[in-house]
Amino acid sequence: ADARIAVVPGDGIGREVTPAAVRVLDALAPDFAFVEADAGDAVLEATGDPLPEETVETVEGADATLFGAAGESAADVILPLRAAVGSYANVRPARAYPGVDALRPETDLVFVRENTEGVYAGIESEIAPGVTTLTRVVTEAASRRIAEFGFDYAERHGYDVTVAHKANVMRTTDGQFLDAVRAVADERGADHEEALMDALAMHLALSPEAYGVVVCPNLAGDVLSDLAAGLVGGLGLLPSANVGSDNALFEPVHGTAPDIAGEGVANPVAAILSAAMLLEHLDYDDEATRVRAAVEGVLEDGPRTPDLGGDATTEDVTTAVVDRLD
Ligand code: NAI
Ligand code: MG
């Protein structure tokens, strides 16, 4: 096989949309070996552990992982899995598609979020009763690494780069983040814009078309990417990537959707677009482009699942995507 892909469907609609994404990858014919592994509520109930050691080993040993969703045990599953691939960049495209109702149909954004430090470094304490503190960690190395990643991504996909920050208030930490982005831009002779993250939230809501790749510290990326998700109409459309230096994990942004799980009507598009990101990560650029074109065609012409106002099943949509691959 050309690549070993770990497949971790998890719970709920993860078990419905992940096989759909695998079906699309299979139809494209790259020689992938798929290795399935368990995680989530079901395996927790069966074994007492939501993330068996063999799953972690399968993910560590793979070239890339396709993950579905985990239920109540999500935090105990997805955080260690992201760590297992050494993920430092969280990539979240938010794009509106013709045929889908969106608040801002002109949105085509990609958030590149630093995913190892900032306020999520986990250094919190209660220093006295009723008094709590948090330490924000920003290193030059991690800031440069995410900047390099953001400029590479923007160059590869033809986007402009904006860096979100609040260096006017967090002078030392975001100052360092901003300096690192400036230094990387300088070394590459690349253009970039700088935006205060609070003002950027407003500009993204009002005129998303003015932006492309948005490079963000951890917390800003978490919040701004959710804001952008709201602009494009539906959790069932949003893919994401967690990228490390030699491994990566791809997953839809949505969860297990207990309200529709088991009915066979989950929208597989987010999982299929996550598979397209996986293809691109493994340098199957043509295949990734074919998947995106097929998805765009299906979103425009149907069939569509109920979340997009249609009455098609997961299988109908997946078949339609596969049929449009060439
Ligand atoms: P959710 O994303 O599962 O569902 C939110 C709403 O969006 C529901 O109405 C659902 O039906 C709809 N939806 C989501 N994906 C859809 C799709 N592909 N097609 C059609 N409709 C879709 O978020 P919620 O309800 O907050 O969480 C449910 C469970 O999922 C919880 O146990 C939570 O812990 C877990 N979760 C796991 C995540 C992960 O594994 N990465 C991420 C978010 C939630
Ligand atoms: Mg979030």
Side-chain angles (χ1 to χ4, degrees):
D2 296 326
R4 231 173 116 83
I5 312 296
V7 178
V8 186
D11 302 311
I13 65 165
R15 308 201 71 79
E16 302 168 39
V17 299
T18 313
V22 170
R23 218 182 118 198
V24 171
L25 288 176
D26 242 352
L28 286 163
D31 189 10
F32 289 163
F34 297 102
V35 190
E36 200 166 313
D38 286 328
D41 294 354
V43 64
L44 170 64
E45 201 162 306
T47 69
D49 183 358
L51 186 61
E53 184 52 33
E54 16 181 329
T55 298
V56 176
E57 281 164 17
T58 301
V59 166
E60 282 171 349
D63 295 298
T65 294
L66 203 54
F67 178 72
E72 295 312 311
S73 57
D76 298 323
V77 169
I78 192 63
L79 299 179
L81 282 184
R82 288 175 187 158
V85 300
S87 153
Y88 64 86
N90 179 219
V91 187
R92 280 191 44 180
R95 180 160 172 212
Y97 292 94
V100 177
D101 264 341
L103 216 48
R104 295 278 174 220
E106 60 284 14
T107 307
D108 184 2
L109 295 162
V110 182
F111 291 85
V112 172
R113 164 186 170 196
E114 202 292 319
N115 214 11
T116 64
E117 52 183 37
V119 295
Y120 293 158
I123 310 170
E124 283 194 291
S125 37
E126 181 168 20
I127 56 171
V131 183
T132 52
T133 62
L134 166 121
T135 300
R136 183 167 197 256
V137 179
V138 177
T139 64
E140 183 183 9
S143 303
R144 283 192 60 98
R145 187 171 58 174
I146 199 68
E148 297 275 7
F149 186 95
F151 281 106
D152 280 342
Y153 193 98
E155 202 176 288
R156 192 165 176 180
H157 295 88
Y159 288 107
D160 293 335
V161 173
T162 301
V163 54
H165 70 93
K166 191 84 182 178
N168 57 335
V169 177
M170 295 183 281
R171 293 194 179 119
T172 307
T173 50
D174 261 6
Q176 168 144 269
F177 189 80
L178 191 55
D179 284 347
V181 175
R182 286 177 180 165
V184 169
D186 254 14
E187 288 160 22
R188 296 171 161 241
D191 289 331
H192 75 288
E193 275 189 54
E194 299 173 359
L196 292 170
M197 64 180 172
D198 47 353
L200 181 60
M202 181 187 70
H203 290 303
L204 287 172
L206 291 178
S207 22
E209 72 283 357
Y211 301 91
V213 164
V214 185
V215 175
C216 305
N218 207 340
L219 173 63
D222 195 9
V223 175
L224 294 175
S225 61
D226 270 24
L227 180 146
L231 301 178
V232 302
L235 270 173
L237 300 177
L238 294 159
S240 76
N242 300 279
V243 181
S245 24
D246 52 26
N247 205 339
L249 179 144
F250 302 83
E251 54 174 332
V253 168
H254 63 72
T256 58
D259 51 337
I260 58 164
E263 291 172 23
V265 295
N267 191 342
V269 164
I272 292 171
L273 290 174
S274 300
M277 295 183 85
L278 178 151
L279 283 165
E280 194 178 273
H281 179 75
L282 296 175
D283 289 324
Y284 290 92
D285 285 4
D286 290 345
E287 286 82 354
T289 304
R290 284 165 62 199
V291 173
R292 289 199 185 98
V295 166
E296 277 166 41
V298 170
L299 287 174
E300 192 157 7
D301 301 338
R304 298 187 194 93
T305 43
D307 56 306
L308 301 180
D311 57 10
T313 64
T314 308
E315 192 178 342
D316 296 334
V317 173
T318 309
T319 301
V321 170
V322 168
D323 286 347
R324 288 179 92 124
L325 279 176
D326 28 47

